[in-house]
Amino acid sequence: MDTARADILAARHRLEDAGWIPRSADAFRHLPPPPAAVWLGETSEAVTARCDARPLSGAGWALHPIGNTPQGRVDARWLDAADPAQRQELFAGLRPTTGTDNAGRPGDTARQDAAPFTWVHRALCRHGLRLHIGGEQAHHRGAAETVWIQLQHQPRSAVEAPMLVIDVQDGVHCVLVETHHREPHACEQPVVQNLHAHIRLGAGATLQHLRSVRPGPYDQVAHHLQLQLGQGARYEQGLLATGSRYHLQRQEVELEGDRAQARSGGLLLAASANVEQQVRMLHTGERTHSTIETLALASGAARAVVNAHTRIAPHAADAEVRQRLTGVPTGGQPRLVLRPHLEIHHDQVQAAHGATWGALPEDALFYARQRGLDERSARGLIIEGMASALLSRAFGDPQLIDSLDLTALLRQAVAQHLGGGPAAPIAQEEAEHG
């Protein structure tokens, strides 16, 4: 038996021994994930297309430069995880995300709860992309190296476990636009996708990361990001995520190096569908800063959940942390759950968190209507403004918003949300049972 096959079987055995995520797991209790059989493609209960769906023809990861700006070096390797040598290269040097630490001891509860997703991924992963961003070592370079790239992913199969590994070298500045868009069709093949990404930033490196994830209405999607920040590194993420039958966006950021910084800005749009974001900031270095800000919009019978957890380790002096969660119902009777949480083990810190829930302000709607707009257009204008401001704070660079044409992306997503979007699975399922 080759090593790739042995690793796959070992992952299945670990999953069998550990079992699937229990409904009592705190991190997942408001939107429990489908059972392991769904992620392994071993169930006949998955939603199937009600017509002759087109076959999936996606090529997995596609890499493109952005604009005509001078580019730094990017080394890309598309790897076959069924090949023993390539599988070893794909997983080489990655920290365990299986609920244990580097010595194999049990980790914290949230990591243990999410560990079954890792074993399922390890068992099913067949393809991955590994990127090394940056050229020569920092002391051999003159001006800071900047790289602008776009990653697009289209599913290769109905049940898949893609993988992405990114290493940003010391001192490199990278702008990354990552998109997972399934264009709405009258009929499409539903997808089950368990994606894992590992991102490591060297000392003084910066990654500005825009992620836009818009699955099909019947898709079941779970994206897991594991990030490690070196000394003085900075990570900024703007997320746009729309609802589906099941949609989880989970990221864990380890601020290991002194003076590391991380900002996460998320826009969740759920129209009679489900979406959850889990963000964990782990401060272990000194003088580290982190911000989590999420705006969740939900309508119809949607369920939108935001879990924000920031942990300051006992030796992480002078940390500064912020959390700000906002939920806005835009129609119907959605369920919005906002859960900010701080875990502080050091006295010398600055920390603040909060959550607000409520409808769009009536005075803002009134003034927008005074401009001759109908109610839907007025709502769209206000929401676009809120979302644009959130992303501007996440990236700390208004010019980046313009250069990436985020305004058009937001306008399209908000219009689809307020218009109800394509077929809404929750509403249809309730109609069938009613």
Side-chain angles (χ1 to χ4, degrees), residues 15-250:
L15 180 64
E16 292 174 0
D17 291 342
W20 187 239
I21 300 169
R23 293 189 66 89
S24 59
D26 184 67
F28 294 93
R29 63 190 178 93
H30 292 285
L31 191 59
V38 171
W39 304 102
L40 290 167
E42 298 175 348
T43 177
S44 59
E45 298 177 0
V47 175
T48 56
R50 292 173 170 81
C51 56
D52 295 328
R54 302 184 308 171
L56 294 169
S57 58
W61 294 107
L63 178 64
H64 308 279
I66 298 177
N68 299 315
T69 57
Q71 290 289 324
R73 179 172 176 175
V74 178
D75 293 325
R77 289 272 291 161
W78 282 263
L79 299 166
D80 180 359
D83 177 89
Q86 293 188 44
R87 185 181 184 89
Q88 183 177 6
E89 180 181 351
L90 180 61
F91 286 93
L94 301 182
R95 288 187 179 177
T97 56
T98 54
T100 59
D101 61 16
N102 291 328
R105 296 183 296 266
D108 60 62
T109 302
R111 281 184 175 176
Q112 292 181 54
D113 288 345
F117 269 115
T118 300
W119 295 122
V120 168
H121 180 269
R122 193 99 179 190
L124 200 65
C125 180
R126 297 296 181 269
H127 301 278
L129 171 62
R130 191 149 192 158
L131 297 177
H132 183 89
I133 299 175
E136 299 296 327
Q137 294 294 328
H139 61 275
H140 290 153
R141 293 195 300 259
E145 186 176 2
T146 301
V147 179
W148 294 66
I149 55 176
Q150 180 173 13
L151 271 176
Q152 298 174 331
H153 187 276
Q154 287 295 324
R156 302 171 64 114
S157 59
V159 181
E160 63 175 11
M163 186 162 179
L164 174 66
V165 182
I166 300 176
D167 287 295
V168 183
Q169 199 163 318
D170 295 358
V172 173
H173 176 208
C174 179
V175 177
L176 170 61
V177 178
E178 178 189 347
T179 59
H180 303 261
H181 292 175
R182 298 202 67 197
E183 298 300 326
H185 299 286
C187 178
E188 65 180 359
Q189 173 72 44
V191 167
V192 175
Q193 183 182 83
N194 178 20
L195 181 149
H196 285 235
H198 298 258
I199 301 174
R200 299 179 290 193
L201 304 188
T206 299
L207 177 59
Q208 294 178 296
H209 191 185
L210 172 65
R211 303 188 71 246
S212 179
V213 187
R214 299 168 64 180
Y218 290 102
D219 291 349
Q220 298 176 89
V221 174
H223 288 186
H224 306 260
L225 277 67
Q226 186 81 17
L227 296 107
Q228 299 167 232
L229 308 188
Q231 182 174 350
R234 188 171 80 250
Y235 178 71
E236 300 170 354
Q237 184 192 108
L239 170 69
L240 190 161
T242 59
S244 65
R245 189 183 184 200
Y246 179 81
H247 187 178
L248 170 66
Q249 289 292 325
R250 186 177 189 274

Side-chain angles (χ1 to χ4, degrees), residues 410-421:
L410 291 175
R411 183 175 298 116
Q412 181 186 24
V414 170
Q416 180 175 320
H417 172 77
L418 294 178

Side-chain angles (χ1 to χ4, degrees), residues 226-296:
Q226 186 81 17
L227 296 107
Q228 299 167 232
L229 308 188
Q231 182 174 350
R234 188 171 80 250
Y235 178 71
E236 300 170 354
Q237 184 192 108
L239 170 69
L240 190 161
T242 59
S244 65
R245 189 183 184 200
Y246 179 81
H247 187 178
L248 170 66
Q249 289 292 325
R250 186 177 189 274
Q251 68 185 59
E252 186 171 290
V253 184
E254 299 184 51
L255 296 94
E256 300 175 335
D258 294 348
R259 301 186 307 280
Q261 301 179 45
R263 287 202 292 257
S264 171
L267 173 64
L268 310 183
L269 301 169
S272 291
N274 301 313
V275 64
E276 176 172 2
Q277 183 189 32
Q278 297 181 11
V279 184
R280 289 168 52 80
M281 296 285 187
L282 308 177
H283 291 251
T284 55
E286 295 184 354
R287 300 182 299 281
T288 51
H289 297 185
S290 75
T291 300
I292 302 172
E293 184 175 1
T294 298
L295 171 62

Side-chain angles (χ1 to χ4, degrees), residues 316-386:
D318 297 316
E320 294 185 19
V321 303
R322 299 287 186 273
Q323 295 179 1
R324 179 183 178 186
L325 311 181
T326 304
V328 179
T330 56
Q333 294 182 327
R335 183 182 181 188
L336 279 159
V337 180
L338 309 175
R339 302 182 70 201
H341 183 74
L342 298 178
E343 182 183 347
I344 301 173
H345 299 277
H346 198 288
D347 294 333
Q348 194 173 332
V349 300
Q350 296 184 38
H353 69 163
T356 59
W357 187 97
L360 294 174
E362 290 296 331
D363 56 345
L365 285 170
F366 173 79
Y367 287 117
R369 293 292 301 273
Q370 292 296 101
R371 298 172 57 180
L373 301 176
D374 59 34
E375 184 173 352
R376 178 180 294 179
S377 298
R379 287 177 176 272
L381 184 66
I382 295 170
I383 293 171
E384 287 174 35
M386 296 170 66

